[in-house]
Every structure is written in C-alpha cells, then in structure tokens.
C-alpha cells in the first residue's frame, strides 16, 4: 500500500511539472530594436521596442552583454512565466533583416 502512495504522488508531481513547463511558461520570438542597455547591481537588462510598439525589459546573460548594441535591431527569443520576468534565450543579429523587410512588403 505504501508503494502505491509513493507512485501516485510521483505521478501527480510529474503531471504538475509538465503542466507548468508547457502551459504556464511562455516563449516569444519577435523582431525588435534595443532602445537601451541597463545595468543595475550586476543585473543586466535590455529595453526592447518591438514592431508593434510595445516596450519590454528583458534580462540578458553577461556573456552576451558586450556584443549587444543600442539602437540595433535583432530577432529576439525570450521566455517568461509566473515566477520569472522575461529572460533572453536566443538572439540573432541584423543580418536577417532583409528577409523581414521582404515579408513586410
């Protein structure tokens, strides 16, 4: 009987973790321009203005920080969820900008 309770508890915990991973955390991939780089108490953020006009603060890893330039456009992939503010996952430079401009026209 004790083993069945442990198994049931494990299954429930796995279901909760799976639900959280797939439905609570969200991922966004968008084209935007870095308006400003902000550094506060060793926390690195970028303010990104997207094509639809919204402004988002996104946390950036320190290894990427020196390569980012203000007033430059990037394809930005970031995630956010109930527990964490937006954080950068992937970023691609302006070399694909021409493809975006072709689609836009």
């Amino acid at each position: 009987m004790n083993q069945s309770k442990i198994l049931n508890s494990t299954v429930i915990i796995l279901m909760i973790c799976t639900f959280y991973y797939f439905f609570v955390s969200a991922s966004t991939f968008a084209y935007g321009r870095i308006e400003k780089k902000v550094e506060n108490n060793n926390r690195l953020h970028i303010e990104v203005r997207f094509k639809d006009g919204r402004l988002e603060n996104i946390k950036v890893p320190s290894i990427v920080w020196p390569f980012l330039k203000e007033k430059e456009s990037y394809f930005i992939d970031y995630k956010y969820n109930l527990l964490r503010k937006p954080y950068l996952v992937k970023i691609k430079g302006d070399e694909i900008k021409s493809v975006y401009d072709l689609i836009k026209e």
Side-chain angles (χ1 to χ4, degrees), residues 52-78:
D52 61 359
R54 95 191 128 87
L55 189 64
E56 187 79 50
N57 287 328
I58 301 173
K59 184 178 175 184
V60 178
S62 60
I63 194 161
V64 178
W65 182 257
F67 302 108
L68 300 176
K69 298 176 183 168
E70 291 181 356
K71 307 299 181 195
E72 291 286 325
S73 297
Y74 297 93
F75 281 97
I76 299 169
D77 185 10
Y78 67 96

Side-chain angles (χ1 to χ4, degrees), residues 1-2 28-29 32 37 47 69 77 84-85 100:
M1 186 73 169
N2 195 16
T28 303
F29 185 73
K37 292 168 60 174
E47 288 185 4
K69 298 176 183 168
D77 185 10
R84 294 180 73 181
K85 293 182 179 179
Y100 175 79

Side-chain angles (χ1 to χ4, degrees), residues 4 9 15 17 26-28 37 42 49 51-52 57 68 92-93 100:
S4 99
S9 299
M15 288 174 50
C17 291
S27 179
T28 303
K37 292 168 60 174
N42 258 352
R49 180 158 318 269
K51 289 293 183 181
D52 61 359
N57 287 328
L68 300 176
K92 293 195 178 207
Y100 175 79

Side-chain angles (χ1 to χ4, degrees), residues 16 51 81 97:
I16 290 170
K51 289 293 183 181
N81 55 37
K97 183 178 179 183

Side-chain angles (χ1 to χ4, degrees), residues 4-43:
S4 99
K5 285 184 179 181
I6 292 173
L7 180 63
N8 287 341
S9 299
T10 305
V11 168
I12 290 171
I13 290 172
L14 285 173
M15 288 174 50
I16 290 170
C17 291
T18 303
F19 175 80
Y20 179 79
Y21 182 76
F22 287 109
F23 299 107
V24 177
S25 64
S27 179
T28 303
F29 185 73
Y31 184 75
R33 184 174 85 169
I34 296 177
E35 294 292 327
K36 182 167 58 167
K37 292 168 60 174
V38 181
E39 183 176 1
N40 288 335
N41 299 330
N42 258 352
R43 295 183 185 198

